[in-house]
Amino acid sequence: MRIAIIGKLFAPINITSNMGMETFTYNLADLLVKRGHEVTLFASGDSRVDGAKVMPLIKKSYFGLNKKLSKDKKSMGVGYGYGGAEKRGYLKSLFYLRTHKYDFDIIHDNTDEIIGLSSLLVDLPFVSTIHLPFEYLKDLEKTVYKEKLANYYVAISKKQKKMVKNTPVFDVVYNGINSRKFGFSEKSRGYLAWIGRLDPNKGLGAAIEIANKTKTKLRIAGPIQGQKYFDEQIKPKLNKNIKYYGPLTGRKLVRFYKGAKALLFPIRWEEPFGLVMAEAMSCGTPIIAFRRGSVPELVEQHKTGLICPKDNIESMIKAVKKIYSMSDSSYKKMRKNCRKRVEENFTLEKMVENYEKVYQRVIDDWKKKNIVEKKLRVLEITAELTPLAKAGGLGDIAGSLPKALAKEFGTEIRIIMPKYSFIDAEKFPMKIVYKDLQVRMPDGGKKKINVWETLNPGTKIPIYLVDLPEIFSGEKVYPDVVPGRNENFSQFILSKIALELIKVMNWKPNVIHCHDGMMSLVPIFMKRHYLNDSFYSEIASVLTIHNLFYQPKVKNEELEGIGLKRSDFSDKSLNDKESVNLLAQAIIDADMINTVSPTYAKEVLTKEYGAGLDKLLRQNKAKFKGILNGMDYSHFDPRTNEDTPVKYWIDSLDKKTENKLFLQKKLGLTQSADLPLICVVSRLFPQKGVDLIEFVLKDLVDMGAQFVVLGTGHENIEKVFIKAEKEYPESIEAEMKFDAHFAQTIYAGADMILLPSKFEPCGLSQIISMRFGTIPIVRKTGGLADTVRDGYTGFVFKHYDKNAFLWAIHRAVDVYYNQKSNWRKMQIRCMEEDFSWKTSAKKYIQLYNRAIINHKK
Ligand code: ADP
C-alpha cells in the first residue's frame, strides 16, 4: 500500500522519540516500511524513519527549535504553543495530498483535532486515530467529530469507542509496545511501582498512601508536571521506603518495570489505553488498578493482575496484600501470563498488522462508497485494433485491454472503429446492423453510413465498424495525406460518428476511452459540445497517450470544418497564430489522462521528453497516470504460436535453436546454431534509435553475429539497412515490410533483440521477445526501463550514446558465447516474466472510476 502518515509537529519523529504520539507514529511508519509498504511521513523536517519518505511540513519541530524546552526534558509534553506554524504545516500536507491524491492509497492522521477536517479537502480514504483521553475529546465531540466527516476514526480501546458517542468509530486498534525492548523477567525485586507524569490527577498520592498503609516499598518514576505540587505534596513524603527516581528511559526504565512486584495504577479517570500497563506486563509485572477506562481490556482479572472491585483505596490495599500473599509458583505463573498477554495482544507487530487490516477495510469501504459503478460500461473508440487492423502497439492494446476488462471485471464494453476495406471479412465475420444511417458530421452536415458488427476475436465484445468508404477505404490504417485535408481527418470523422452512434444505439457508457492525439476530438467534443445534452452529460472521458510526439495541429481555417472555434482553445502558450494543438486541449478537457508506463509518465513531465507539453502535463499531474501496457500472451506463446515452426518452452529451450536454423535458412543467412542472431522488429523511425543501430552494424558483423531487421518507416532509414544487407549478405538481412506473422517467426528464432529507443512510452517488442526467450538489449527509458532488468532479463544502457549501446551488446554477446548456463538462466527468467493484463487492467478500472469522479466535480 502507498500510505501517507501525518504526524505531530511538536517533537521530531525518529528512533529516539520518547513522547507518546511521536513514538507511536515512528513505530507505525517503521514497521509498515519493514512490511513492504510505501510510506510517506508528513512531519517536521527533523524527523526520520529509515525507508520512508519524509515530507517536511515545518523545517524543525517545535521541540527541536526551542532549545530551552529540549534541555528541560522534564517539561516535555507540556505547552503546545506554536499554533500558527503548526496549522500552516498541516494545511501544507493537505494541499500536497490534494494534488497528489493518485500517489497514495490511504492517509493516516495521527495528530488528533485539526486534521479531522481535512477529509473535506482530500479525496482519499482518511483514517484518524483518536489518541486523546476522553476529557480532552469532549469539546471535539461537540464540534469536529460530530460532523461525521467522510473520515474513518480508529479508537485505541473499546472503552474509548464507547465514550465517543457522537463519533463514527470504524474500528478499534490497541496500541502496541516493543516487547523485545521490554523483556521478560521471571522474578521481581519486591517493590510496588508507580509511573507516570507527576500530576495531581494521576493518583500518586493514593499510591503513597497505599504503600505506607501496607508497609511496602514504593518506587516512583516519571517527569514532574507541576513543581509546586511536587515540592508540597510529594517531596515531603519521600523516604527510604518511598523513593523517586525521576523520569526514566531506556534500560533503567526496563529494569524499573522488571523489578516491580506489581504496578499500581490508581487512576480514576477513563484512561483510553494506558501504555504503561502494557510495558509493565511485557516485563512480567502484574497490574493493580481500578476498573476504569481500558483497564479491563488490558488486565485479565486474577491472571495478569487485580482489578479492584471498588473504586477506593481500601479496595486497592486489599489487592496489594493479595499479591504479596500469593505463593511463589502462582505469582510466577501470573508473571508469565502477563508476558503472554502482551505477546498475543499488545505488541507493535500486532498493532501494525491490525492497522494494515483496517487500512484494507477502509479502502474497500471507501471504494464502495466513492466508486460510482462497480460494473462499468466503457466505449472504446480506436483507429486500429489487433488482429482486425494493426499498425503498431496501439492496436495490440485496443484489442487486448477490453478483453481483459471484460474477463477480470465484467466490464461491459463496446468498440467503435472504421471498417477498413482490408479487414478480412472471412476471418472476422460481420453483419450489418445499421443501413443508411444518417449521422451528423463534425462540420454540421449530414452523411449516410452503414454500421457493421463483428466480435473482438475470442470474446463477446461487439465491435461496430463504421462503413464510410470515402474516408476509410484505403489499404492502410493511417491513410496517406490527401492534399487540402488535415492528416488526421479520418480520425476526426471517426470521433464524431462514434459519439453520434452511441445515442442512436441508445447505449450510454460511463466512460469513453480513446487513444492518442489523433482522437483528441473525443474529450474536446465531450466537454464543449455534448455537456448540455442529458444523454452525454454524465459520460466521462479518458485519453491514453501512447506517444506524446503525435500532436495533431489544426489550422485556423480548418477549425470550422471540425465544428470548433478558436476560442475553444484557451491556452495561448500552447497554440500558435495559425493553428491549434488538439492534444493540448484534449489533455485539458479529458477527465483522466494516462500514458503507457510509469517511467514514461515521469519522463514526459520534463522538458527533455515533454515534447513541449511538459508544463501542461505538470499542471494536470493530478489526473495523469502511468499504466504499463499489458500483454495478451495468447498470441505470443512459443508453445502454441502458429508462426513458430518448432514449438518450445522453458523445459525444451533447445528447440529454440531449431527455430533459429529455420529462420537463418529462410533469410538466406549462414545456418549455424552457434552464431548469435540479433534482430530488430520495429517501425523504422528516429524515435526507435535507428541511428544507433546503424552505427553498430559493422561491429555486429565483426563480432560474428547475424542481424535481421523487420520494419518499415522512413525511406532513408530503410535504405541504410538495404545497403548493409548488400554489403554483408551472409550476416545481414533487411526485410522492409510489415508482417505480423513473420515478426513472430523472428522472435522465436532470434537470440537477442535491439531496442535502443530515444524514448519509449511502453514498448511491446521487448515484452514479446522475452516470452520467446529472446534477450532484449534496451535503453533505460520509458517502458523499457520498467520491464527489462539489467543482467537478469536483459542488458540495459542509460545514455543515448553509440558506445554505451555497443558496450551493452558486447556484454550480451560475451554472456552468449562464454557463459552458456547464465544465458540459459536469463532466457528462463525472461520467459517467466509476467506482464499480462491482470495488474494493468485493474489500474484502468481505477482510472475510469477516477474519471467518473472528476467528471462529476
Ligand atoms: P510502437 O507502438 O512504437 O510501434 P511497440 O513496441 O509498442 O512500438 O509495438 C510494436 C508492435 O508492432 C510489436 O507488436 C511489434 O512486434 C510490431 N511490429 C513492429 N514492426 C513490425 C513489422 N515490421 N512487422 C510486424 N510487426 C511489427
Side-chain angles (χ1 to χ4, degrees), residues 224-242:
I224 294 170
Q225 180 93 66
Q227 196 63 41
K228 193 162 171 257
Y229 163 71
F230 179 75
D231 290 343
E232 289 174 9
Q233 311 261 337
I234 304 298
K235 213 170 165 187
K237 294 178 186 159
L238 299 177
N239 53 44
K240 218 170 73 205
N241 260 351
I242 319 259

Side-chain angles (χ1 to χ4, degrees), residues 634-671:
S634 64
H635 297 305
F636 306 106
D637 186 341
R639 281 168 288 199
T640 52
N641 182 270
E642 57 179 38
D643 302 302
T644 300
V646 185
K647 318 281 182 254
Y648 63 96
W649 189 236
I650 289 169
D651 50 5
S652 53
L653 252 172
D654 287 338
K655 290 197 183 139
K656 185 166 165 63
T657 314
E658 293 173 42
N659 290 301
K660 177 168 160 178
L661 294 170
F662 176 90
L663 182 61
Q664 285 165 328
K665 190 168 176 199
K666 192 170 161 94
L667 296 172
L669 300 172
T670 311
Q671 263 188 306

Side-chain angles (χ1 to χ4, degrees), residues 390 393 396 683 688 710-711 737-739 747 763-765 768:
K390 168 170 171 166
D396 292 344
R683 289 182 297 112
K688 296 289 178 181
L710 173 70
K737 59 181 177 187
F738 188 93
D739 182 341
Y747 287 125
L764 295 176
S765 302
I768 301 172

Side-chain angles (χ1 to χ4, degrees), residues 87 91 94 109 111-122 126 128 140 143-151 153:
K87 280 181 191 122
L91 274 178
L94 299 187
D109 148 42
T111 63
D112 278 319
E113 42 204 330
I114 301 163
I115 218 93
L117 291 163
S118 55
S119 55
L120 288 179
L121 291 171
V122 182
F126 207 102
S128 294
L140 289 173
T143 53
V144 181
Y145 290 177
K146 204 179 98 197
E147 291 303 316
K148 295 194 173 55
L149 306 169
N151 213 332
Y153 291 99

Side-chain angles (χ1 to χ4, degrees), residues 86-104:
E86 185 191 31
K87 280 181 191 122
R88 279 194 300 278
Y90 289 137
L91 274 178
K92 198 171 153 187
S93 71
L94 299 187
F95 285 123
Y96 183 90
L97 288 165
R98 190 173 167 76
T99 47
H100 292 75
K101 58 183 175 182
Y102 302 112
D103 294 347
F104 301 98

Side-chain angles (χ1 to χ4, degrees), residues 769-780:
S769 75
M770 281 196 259
R771 186 49 58 117
F772 281 92
T774 302
I775 308 284
I777 300 171
V778 306
R779 184 164 165 255
K780 192 176 171 134

